[in-house]
Amino acid sequence: MSDDQKRNSAFNAAANINVQHAQLQDLSLSAARRLYKGGIQPGDPIRTRVQAQEMLDKIPPSQRAGIDGKSTDVNTQKYLSDKHASHIKPHSKGGSNDPKNIKWENAKDNLARGDKPMTSQEQMRLDAKWHFDNLTGAVKAGVKAAPLGAVIGVVTTAPFSLLTNGLRVVRGEISAQEAAIETLKDTVKGGTVGGVTAFVTTTVAAACPPIAIALTVAAPVLAVAGTAGMVHEFFKILNDHKQTVKIYYESLTQQELERLQAIENELIYEHQKNLEFLAQAQVINQEITNRPIAPGIEGAIERLRESVAIAQSLGLASTDSKFLPDSELLYLPPHS
């Protein structure tokens, strides 16, 4: 799997993550009533809109997060379903209904405390529980988002891996079976990258509203980057294929030139040998032609002997020419 494929999978997965946190206008009437009136005794004035928003902000961000207004309302109501707006300083002892004096607490714990002030240990326990609830809610949101990210990663990776490995088959680098295996590996990796990106991005965004806002703002940019990356990757694959084929054919041309050069060198060598042979033959011919001729029969016979000796030195025998004797010439004594 190439770096381009990993980057495109991550960009596209992040661009399709949508995390929102509940706002007052998103909540149903029953949920909003809990924020305005939670913990307030009959006859006391209800909270202002600003205070109601502060009560909403006291809910762990991930527990009031969703993909749209409806889901954020459902998640907020689910979190508040077993909670009381507990006073740090009891209302009966002069504690106010201001959000600063309120913590969301399990109803059973609040009722068990009665009208006693909330101890510092209890406040620390509730603060720790707030962080724990925020973390678990964020992880839960990340797990829900991971499958979508994996699908996006697969869709982003598979076509380009198929194209890349298909061209490798065309070039003869791998077999069709190997191409299928490589494509499957890349697709799994792309899905993993997309799933992990979606999980991490959603988890962080759900736990931290500013990150979610930044992600929402950046989503169009990420989408453009992901799309541009895919277009770039497509043309890069084709260009790499073109360059590889060019190099391949250039290597074939170079091999052919080397082969032709070797043939030419061999022909030149043979030609040189032939020239040397012809030169030697010309010398021998000159020696044969320019031999002194002795007068009489004795001279003729001696000349014949020399000619036969020359022919035999060249590898010729009587079977090669009817003019060559097949036995030793008769020896004639010199004429006195």
Side-chain angles (χ1 to χ4, degrees), residues 22-320:
Q23 302 297 321
L24 281 176
Q25 62 269 21
D26 299 325
L27 301 180
S28 61
L29 183 61
S30 59
R33 184 182 295 114
R34 295 288 303 279
L35 302 178
Y36 279 100
K37 297 184 176 181
I40 294 179
Q41 299 297 319
D44 290 345
I46 65 173
R47 298 184 180 90
T48 64
R49 182 178 179 83
V50 174
Q51 290 176 327
Q53 181 64 49
E54 291 179 12
M55 291 294 292
L56 177 60
D57 293 340
K58 284 182 171 291
I59 299 174
S62 67
Q63 299 293 337
R64 50 187 170 89
I67 60 174
D68 52 29
K70 182 178 180 180
S71 61
T72 60
D73 176 52
V74 171
N75 292 336
T76 300
Q77 291 192 65
K78 184 178 180 180
Y79 178 79
L80 294 177
S81 61
D82 63 346
K83 299 294 188 298
H84 276 183
S86 298
H87 291 74
I88 299 174
K89 182 178 181 180
H91 187 271
S92 61
K93 300 185 182 300
S96 70
N97 294 319
D98 188 275
K100 294 182 178 60
N101 191 46
I102 300 292
K103 286 183 178 295
W104 293 111
E105 185 181 23
N106 185 278
K108 294 168 64 175
D109 294 337
N110 182 47
L111 293 175
R113 185 182 307 105
D115 63 350
K116 297 178 182 179
M118 191 180 296
T119 65
S120 58
Q121 289 81 5
E122 290 174 326
Q123 293 182 54
M124 290 175 62
R125 177 180 60 80
L126 286 176
D127 290 342
K129 183 66 166 56
W130 185 95
H131 289 291
F132 179 77
D133 288 344
N134 192 35
L135 177 60
T136 55
V139 171
K140 183 178 179 180
V143 170
K144 287 183 177 180
L148 175 61
V151 171
I152 294 172
V154 167
V155 172
T156 301
T157 303
F160 296 98
S161 179
L162 184 62
L163 176 61
T164 299
N165 291 300
L167 291 175
R168 293 180 66 191
V169 172
V170 172
R171 296 195 299 265
E173 297 176 1
I174 58 176
S175 66
Q177 183 178 4
E178 291 172 330
I181 294 175
E182 290 300 317
T183 299
L184 179 60
K185 289 180 180 179
D186 288 344
T187 301
V188 171
K189 290 178 182 178
T192 301
V193 171
V196 170
T197 300
F199 172 80
V200 173
T201 303
T202 302
T203 299
V204 174
C208 184
I211 297 296
I213 295 173
L215 179 63
T216 301
V217 173
V221 177
L222 292 173
V224 171
T227 302
M230 293 171 69
V231 173
H232 170 75
E233 184 181 2
F234 174 75
F235 286 105
K236 183 176 182 296
I237 291 172
L238 295 182
N239 185 64
D240 289 345
H241 172 69
K242 178 181 177 181
Q243 293 300 322
T244 302
V245 171
K246 180 180 178 181
I247 293 173
Y248 172 72
Y249 280 108
E250 286 178 349
S251 68
L252 288 182
T253 302
Q254 184 63 33
Q255 293 175 10
E256 185 66 18
L257 289 174
E258 293 174 356
R259 190 178 72 87
L260 293 175
Q261 185 64 50
I263 294 174
E264 183 179 0
N265 291 339
E266 184 176 355
L267 292 175
I268 291 174
Y269 174 74
E270 293 295 333
H271 182 62
Q272 291 293 339
K273 287 176 59 178
N274 291 334
L275 290 178
E276 292 175 1
F277 174 80
L278 291 175
Q280 293 175 358
Q282 185 176 7
V283 172
I284 294 174
N285 184 59
Q286 290 294 330
E287 290 178 354
I288 294 173
T289 304
N290 298 327
R291 283 178 301 162
I293 301 175
I297 296 175
E298 182 179 351
I301 292 175
E302 183 63 27
R303 183 179 179 84
L304 175 60
R305 286 197 183 97
E306 292 176 355
S307 296
V308 170
I310 292 171
Q312 290 175 345
S313 70
L314 295 176
L316 300 177
S318 60
T319 55
D320 299 309

